[in-house]
Amino acid sequence: DANPADRIKLPKDDDEFEARPMSADELRKFFAAAAGNRFFALFVTCAYTGMRQGELLGLRWEDVELDRRFIQVRQGLKDITRAEGAVYGPPKSKTSRRKMKLSPVVVATLRSHRARQDAEREDWGPDWQDNGLVFPARGGMPMRRQNLERRDLKGILQKAGLDPAIRFHDLRHTNATLLAEAGVAPKVIADWLGHATIGMAMDLYAHVLDTGYESAVDAIDELDLLGPAPRKPRITVRKYRKANRP
């Protein structure tokens, strides 16, 4: 049988839009405003791992190893339709199927999120739809990406006083930009984000990498390997009087 995901017309690749990554200070404001939001842990996980929105909404607890501190990206939520309900599919490319190491901050955030989810499951009782999702909507149902973007994300941006043009995918760009600014190699960033080629990472974050290259040039220059820069020769112009000058 054909995979239902193959019939889904995916939204335009967010990488085609102009990126609007947040600075570290802006990200701190964002997290402060997001505290208490149902999807706080999702936003934290995205900013710390750079995972795609579909990868996060399709993430299952069986793909998360909190004790060993990693996430295995195996599927993504492609769409939710009336006819077929939630449609899941494999990651965007072969390189998108990857193992993500988690920082202690993300592990602690996910542990708190899981405890809250367990309490919610008890409250819902038999009405809870157990899809095994890490970041479901209320009642355990899959979360629509449009609702996450328009309702939760936009509300947080407004509360934080940040640029309303920031999209969910810009959290992914924020992660990559912060990594590039920290000096992480482009090949590592490409693998981390699940890009098909290193060229994609180079194209997307060229502005950051250019700054890094300038720093590399300055670092070598500051070693003063050739000694002090040679002084420009002093040019003396002599004026001769004409012998027969009256």
Side-chain angles (χ1 to χ4, degrees):
D1 294 340
N3 186 346
D6 295 336
R7 301 196 298 270
I8 299 299
K9 186 177 180 180
L10 294 176
K12 197 172 184 179
D13 193 333
D14 284 307
D15 288 343
E16 296 179 15
F17 292 90
E18 183 177 355
R20 170 54 176 93
M22 286 184 273
S23 66
D25 287 339
E26 287 177 322
L27 195 55
R28 292 185 188 97
K29 292 179 181 178
F30 180 86
F31 285 149
N37 183 278
R38 175 184 184 82
F39 293 102
F40 174 77
L42 181 148
F43 292 125
V44 170
T45 304
C46 183
Y48 273 76
T49 67
M51 289 175 65
R52 297 179 177 91
Q53 186 178 28
E55 293 171 346
L56 288 161
L57 295 179
L59 186 65
R60 302 161 296 187
W61 284 114
E62 66 185 73
D63 300 322
V64 180
E65 285 282 352
L66 294 180
D67 290 337
R68 298 168 63 188
R69 291 176 46 202
F70 72 81
I71 284 175
Q72 195 77 42
V73 181
R74 293 192 177 102
Q75 71 169 18
L77 177 63
K78 303 300 182 182
D79 200 2
I80 301 177
T81 67
R82 291 184 178 180
E84 298 172 332
V87 179
Y88 301 94
K92 188 175 179 180
S93 64
K94 289 183 179 180
T95 52
S96 296
R97 187 183 294 272
R98 62 203 187 280
K99 186 176 181 178
M100 312 277 310
K101 189 70 176 179
L102 299 178
S103 74
V105 171
V106 177
V107 170
T109 302
L110 287 175
R111 288 191 190 280
S112 297
H113 173 73
R114 190 168 197 172
R116 184 205 57 76
Q117 189 180 104
D118 289 342
E120 182 181 355
R121 183 186 293 106
E122 286 190 21
D123 290 340
W124 277 75
D127 294 328
W128 177 267
Q129 294 188 20
D130 195 359
N131 294 294
L133 298 174
V134 177
F135 303 114
R138 284 178 173 80
M141 297 180 294
M143 180 65 182
R144 294 181 181 273
R145 65 170 68 202
Q146 298 91 338
N147 292 342
L148 179 64
E149 181 109 17
R150 297 171 188 169
R151 184 183 62 200
D152 296 276
L153 176 64
K154 295 305 179 184
I156 294 170
L157 292 173
Q158 183 178 14
K159 184 178 178 180
L162 296 173
D163 185 354
I166 293 173
R167 302 159 300 128
F168 184 92
H169 198 73
D170 287 320
L171 284 170
R172 175 172 161 86
H173 288 305
T174 297
N175 173 265
T177 300
L178 293 177
L179 291 177
E181 289 176 347
V184 177
K187 177 64 168 65
V188 175
I189 296 177
D191 292 344
W192 177 254
L193 296 177
H195 281 309
T197 65
I198 187 174
M200 294 181 65
M202 294 287 286
D203 291 342
L204 283 170
Y205 311 111
H207 62 293
V208 181
L209 297 174
D210 283 345
T211 303
Y213 296 149
E214 186 68 28
S215 299
V217 171
D218 291 343
I220 297 296
D221 196 43
E222 289 172 2
L223 294 177
D224 199 17
L225 299 175
L226 297 179
R231 294 182 178 180
K232 292 182 179 180
R234 184 176 180 180
I235 301 176
T236 303
V237 179
R238 295 181 179 180
K239 295 182 180 180
Y240 296 91
R241 292 184 180 181
K242 293 182 179 180
N244 58 351
R245 184 174 181 179

